[in-house]
Amino acid sequence: MAIQVFKPKYRTEEVLEEIRECLEIGWTGLGFKTERLEEEWKKYTNFSNAHFVASNTVGLQIALKVLKDVNKWKNGDEVITTPLTFVSSNHSILYNNLKPVFADVDDQLCLDPKSVESLITRKTKAVMFVGIGGNIGQYKAIKELCDKHGLKLILDAAHMAGTKVINSYHGSIFTTDHIGLDADVSIFSFQSVKNMPTADGGMICFKNKDYDVLARKLSWLGIDKDTFNRTNSKGSYKWDYDVIDLGFKAHGNSVMASMGLVALKYLDEDNSRRREICKIYDKGFENNPLVTPIQHNSECESSRHLYQIKVPNRNEVMEYLNANEIYPGVHYKDNTQYEMYSYAQGTCPNAHKASEEVISLPLHMFLTEEDAEKVIKTIIKATKR
Ligand SMILES: Cc1ncc(COP(=O)(O)O)c(C=O)c1O
C-alpha cells in the first residue's frame, strides 16, 4: 500500500453523534457548537480569547485587519515574515495593503532573530512567526525583539495545535504552557490534514479582548450581533442590528465545530503518537552524513505536524521514493521564488537552500512502525545513488 505524507484520522461514530445534535435541534451555523468549541479550546490552551473561523487563512487576514485598523497602521507599512511558509501567511499581509518583508530562517527553518532585527525600520509594525511543523524555533528571542522594538507579534500557528512550551523541570516533572499565549495574536489551522482537523477551520486567539470582539464582527460581515444570540435572546427588536465595517463571511459553523470537539479530545494522544514516530525516524538517521533531520527546539513539546529532513539530492530522492510508492511532501518552496513575491528573490539564502533540500516524511496516525522503517531504508538507499 502506498504511504502518504498525511492521512487524517476521524473518530467517525463520535463525530456523527456530535453532528446529529446539530441536525436534530436544527442549528448547523454560527453559535451552538462553535461557542462550545471555543470554550473547550480556551480550557485546553488557557487562551483568554478564541474565535472559530472558516480557515487559518481568513483568520490571519482578519487578525491583521484588526491590528492595522486599531493601531492606525498605514498602507505600505511593513510586516517582517518568512519565505518558508504556505502562501497564506504572506497573502494575509498583502490582503491588508501592508508589505511583506522577508527575513531569513535558521537551521530549524524558523525566523532567525538576527535577520529579523537587521530589517526593522520606522515602517515595521509587526513580525509574523511561523512555527513550522509545530516547532517553536527561536520564538522566545523573536518575542523579546518585538517587545524591545514595540512591534506586534503575530503567530501563524497553523501547525501548532497542541505545541507546549516547557517552563521548568522539577526532577522528571515539568510544567508547560500552550504556545502563543504571549503573542498579540495566534492563529491555528484545523484544515483537513492538520493535527486537529475539522475539514476546514481556524482559531483566532487575541490577547486583547477588544480585538477579539472586533474580529467576531469582521468574520460576520461587520454585523454587530450574531444570529444565534439574537435568536436566543429575549425581547423585541431581536431582528435589529447595525453594520459597523466591511467584514467578511468567514466564521466557522457548528458542523465543523462538531468535528473539532471530538478531535480536540484526542489531540494530546495523537500528538504523542506523532512524537513516537519521530523518534523512530531520528534513530534511523542517527549519524547519517547524508540525511539531516530538522531538530525541534528541546524547550518545547512539539505537536510534530511535520518530520522534515534535508538531503542534498532532494529531487532524485523524491522521485525514488515515489517509484517505491512513498509520497512525502515539501514544506515549503521559498516564497520569493513565486512571481508575486519575486521582488525579494535572493534576500534569504538559508531559506532558499533549505527549500531545495527539504522533504516532509509521512507522519500520521495510520503510519505503522514497519512503514516508518521502510521510509528510512528507502531514503538511505536513495541518498547513496
Ligand atoms: C504555515 C501555514 N499557514 C497557513 C496555512 C493556511 O491554513 P488554512 O488551510 O486553514 O487556511 C497553512 C495550511 O496549510 C500553513 O501550513
Side-chain angles (χ1 to χ4, degrees):
M1 260 244 293
I3 305 176
Q4 303 292 347
V5 60
F6 299 130
K7 185 168 189 258
K9 175 166 177 175
Y10 296 108
R11 276 74 183 186
T12 310
E13 292 311 316
E14 277 183 73
V15 169
L16 290 176
E17 269 315 298
E18 286 286 343
I19 295 176
R20 181 189 302 281
E21 258 185 57
C22 300
L23 302 180
E24 285 179 354
I25 76 151
W27 199 283
T28 53
L30 172 67
F32 191 35
K33 299 267 172 171
T34 62
E35 289 184 1
R36 282 198 204 160
L37 179 61
E38 288 167 354
E39 288 313 307
E40 291 303 319
W41 179 253
K42 285 195 284 185
K43 260 193 245 160
Y44 170 75
T45 54
N46 257 339
F47 277 106
S48 26
N49 303 296
H51 176 40
F52 182 51
V53 284
S55 67
N56 161 293
T57 305
V58 82
L60 285 165
Q61 180 180 359
I62 289 175
L64 270 149
K65 177 166 167 58
V66 169
L67 288 172
K68 184 184 180 202
D69 290 354
V70 175
N71 295 290
K72 304 199 168 22
W73 298 348
K74 297 193 186 64
N75 286 347
D77 278 347
E78 296 172 358
V79 177
I80 299 178
T81 181
T82 170
L84 223 55
T85 185
F86 190 54
V87 285
S88 298
S89 325
N90 295 321
H91 278 15
S92 72
I93 301 170
L94 283 183
Y95 290 145
N96 284 287
N97 296 313
L98 298 164
K99 182 176 178 201
V101 172
F102 291 96
D104 213 346
V105 301
D106 58 17
D107 289 347
Q108 297 181 44
L109 310 184
C110 292
L111 276 182
D112 178 350
K114 281 204 196 83
S115 173
V116 171
E117 190 157 33
S118 73
L119 293 164
I120 297 173
T121 68
R122 275 188 305 118
K123 286 190 161 187
T124 311
K125 301 297 174 202
V127 177
M128 164 95 66
F129 187 90
V130 179
I132 190 162
N135 186 14
I136 63 169
Q138 297 192 66
Y139 172 85
K140 282 186 189 166
I142 297 284
K143 166 73 181 140
E144 279 166 21
L145 257 186
C146 288
D147 290 346
K148 181 172 146 197
H149 292 273
L151 305 175
K152 300 288 180 199
L153 176 55
I154 302 157
L155 179 63
D156 178 349
H159 300 178
M160 302 184 102
T163 288
K164 317 268 173 68
V165 181
I166 298 171
N167 293 322
S168 55
Y169 283 94
H170 306 285
S172 60
I173 300 170
F174 54 85
T175 61
T176 59
D177 279 327
H178 199 280
I179 185 67
L181 300 180
D182 54 354
D184 291 282
V185 61
S186 301
I187 304 100
F188 295 84
S189 172
F190 304 146
Q191 181 261 346
S192 60
V193 300
K194 300 298 190 296
N195 295 30
M196 195 188 123
T198 61
D200 252 320
M203 197 68 91
I204 310 178
C205 303
F206 269 113
K207 197 150 73 174
N208 182 315
K209 173 80 186 156
D210 295 341
Y211 291 13
D212 174 76
V213 171
L214 191 51
R216 283 172 193 278
K217 291 175 184 158
L218 287 174
S219 73
W220 174 223
L221 295 151
I223 295 173
D224 71 346
K225 292 178 197 160
D226 75 62
T227 318
F228 186 65
N229 288 313
R230 277 198 289 125
T231 307
N232 292 302
S233 67
K234 295 212 166 69
S236 49
Y237 287 93
K238 280 176 23 165
W239 48 269
D240 193 24
Y241 56 77
D242 196 4
V243 183
I244 54 140
D245 202 340
L246 184 62
F248 311 91
K249 179 71 168 67
H251 57 77
N253 67 50
S254 290
V255 175
M256 296 151 77
S258 298
M259 299 179 78
L261 282 164
V262 177
L264 180 55
K265 282 200 249 168
Y266 294 95
L267 180 61
D268 279 344
E269 188 182 316
D270 288 359
N271 284 354
S272 105
R273 171 69 187 145
R274 286 170 177 276
R275 288 191 291 275
E276 271 173 34
I277 297 169
C278 293
K279 279 192 196 141
I280 301 175
Y281 282 143
D282 276 343
K283 197 157 181 296
F285 300 125
E286 218 170 20
N287 303 323
N288 187 317
L290 297 174
V291 181
T292 312
I294 304 300
Q295 300 300 328
H296 285 206
N297 189 330
S298 60
E299 288 174 21
C300 75
E301 201 176 69
S302 169
S303 65
R304 275 299 188 171
H305 176 58
L306 300 176
Y307 185 95
Q308 295 173 287
I309 57 168
K310 285 193 294 183
V311 288
N313 57 338
R314 195 268 312 276
N315 295 351
E316 285 89 24
V317 171
M318 288 294 269
E319 269 176 32
Y320 188 72
L321 289 168
N322 289 177
N324 284 278
E325 292 196 305
I326 298 170
Y327 300 98
V330 170
H331 300 92
Y332 290 92
K333 182 163 164 177
D334 168 6
N335 283 197
T336 69
Q337 293 297 304
Y338 297 133
E339 190 180 321
M340 65 174 304
Y341 295 109
S342 57
Y343 62 86
Q345 239 175 51
T347 57
C348 302
N350 295 342
H352 187 66
K353 186 157 190 293
S355 91
E356 298 199 320
E357 294 183 343
V358 83
I359 304 180
S360 302
L361 302 191
L363 182 52
H364 51 75
M365 286 317 108
F366 295 95
L367 196 86
T368 63
E369 263 117 77
E370 293 73 49
D371 292 335
E373 295 296 349
K374 178 176 171 188
V375 173
I376 293 166
K377 274 197 202 115
T378 317
I379 288 173
I380 290 174
K381 256 197 215 159
T383 51
K384 286 187 183 149
R385 277 153 54 91

